[in-house]
Amino acid sequence: MGKRFNSGARTGVVIVGAGPAGLVLGNLLLDHGIDCVILERRERKAVEGRARAGFLAAHSVRVLTQHGLAEGLLTRGRSHRTCLFRSEQGEFTLDYGQLGRGEVHTVYPQQELVRDLLAEYLRRGGEIRFDAEVEEISEGRVRVRDGADVTGRYVAGCDGHRGVGRAALAALGTRTARRDHGVSWLAVLVAAPPSLAAVGYALHARGFAGHMARTDTVTRYYLQCPRGTDPADWSEDRIWTELATRLRTAEFGPLKDGPVLETAVVDLRSDVLDRPGTGRLWLAGDAAGLISPSAAKGANLAVLQAERLAEAFARVLNHDDDSGLARYAADCLPRVWRAHEFSHWMSTLLHGPSAEDTDEAEARYGRALQYARLDSLRTSRTHQDFFAENYTGI
Ligand code: RFL
């Protein structure tokens, strides 16, 4: 059962959710002198232990640095500038740090970023309530399970794509654009150092496999798997055997193995709300739009939106000017759609014909297109610049 608490005087902004979006927003609002409270349904330990993203775009690093939130990632994160592609046609590496705008990623596990953001939020005097599940949002009033209502002049739904923020906004007439990419990934976290110096993308007739560094001792792998896969069907042996096959270790050398820490199945789906808010309710992060993980954009969009939403709230709450809220949507949506366009492009590059492609000729056509795209990326500098600019940009 959740804790009981009493709401105090009306807060400036009630933030629902303590993921990257909610915590960046909370920190920035405190910077602007706006009082806020974060309501998070999980316990602190669960929030701080949730391993998800790891690749931060240069824009995210700039935002976090400007607002004094980057000490951890600047000291413990690692700069990453290359990725490699493997297929039956061999292997090639792109030094994307020297292509496009010359930007790189900073690899820093999301749970560490969340830990840093939370510590800083508390250090700045922010209020947060864990184990406080929000059941309903209406007109600035937030109903908490087993707790008193909390009211704010504004409510920020930063509660992810299955949260109540989205449901409350849908009730106000928001429309959703949606795509099911038709593939799933077994996301595997292993206690082993990275096997490659770069991010690795392997195209294989058995399905896509991916390799992403997280820290010196933890690595993330992905295996494309059929919809409805039960992670329990994947033993450690099966995971390592399949990774070895798809990452073609016989040709390119072995992987550094270690115990599997966590497996989860992620269905690749994307959606975008046509309006990220209205009136007193505004959304940021996955709540405002879910992006498939194929180009590692989700946490970066969350940081971007939290930054813009904080500015809009500051303008209206400190200067009584609500024009920033309308601009929040106008500013973010084109960037969100650019990220979705690239993510979709990546998805079609990484995955061959889907399992539903039962027509053999269709499947052959799909695979040939996939290889033509890969070949273009290998040989065309223009294509490589396009890739680098979109891969690192937000
Ligand atoms: P989050 O992180 O889901 O946080 C939402 C928070 O809201 C809480 N909550 C509630 N609290 C109170 N009441 C309720 N009713 C609530 N309902 C929910 C939840 O407990 C939670 O704490 O959303 P946010 O802040 O928008 O952040 C989004 C990112 O977490 C997400 O986009 C990324 O993790 C996506 N992603 C990646 N993004 C990147 O930028 N780079 C990557 O390398 C990357 N890799 C990934 C990923 C996502 C993955 N999965 C699991 C989908 C890799 C994976 C495997």
Side-chain angles (χ1 to χ4, degrees), residues 341-370:
E341 194 280 321
F342 182 67
S343 198
H344 183 251
W345 181 92
M346 273 296 273
S347 186
T348 55
L349 174 71
L350 301 179
H351 307 110
S354 71
E356 289 79 48
D357 261 333
T358 42
D359 182 312
E360 255 183 57
E362 294 258 355
R364 264 198 302 280
Y365 189 88
R367 186 157 316 281
L369 282 190
Q370 187 190 15

Side-chain angles (χ1 to χ4, degrees), residues 16-21 39-42 50 52-55 110 132-134 158-160 164 187 214 220 222 266 285-286 296-300 302:
V16 185
L39 304 173
E40 165 57 50
R41 76 163 175 208
R42 295 169 194 248
R50 203 156 66 119
R52 296 181 97 188
F55 274 69
Q110 181 168 323
E133 177 164 1
V134 171
C158 301
D159 49 348
V164 287
R214 283 295 186 255
R220 195 175 272 292
Y222 295 113
V266 183
D286 282 7
K297 297 289 184 198
N300 293 295

Side-chain angles (χ1 to χ4, degrees), residues 63-84:
V63 170
L64 296 167
T65 305
Q66 269 166 18
H67 294 278
L69 300 169
E71 202 187 313
L73 74 92
L74 293 177
T75 46
R76 294 192 300 282
R78 285 188 312 184
S79 173
H80 218 93
R81 54 183 304 135
T82 54
C83 62
L84 69 79

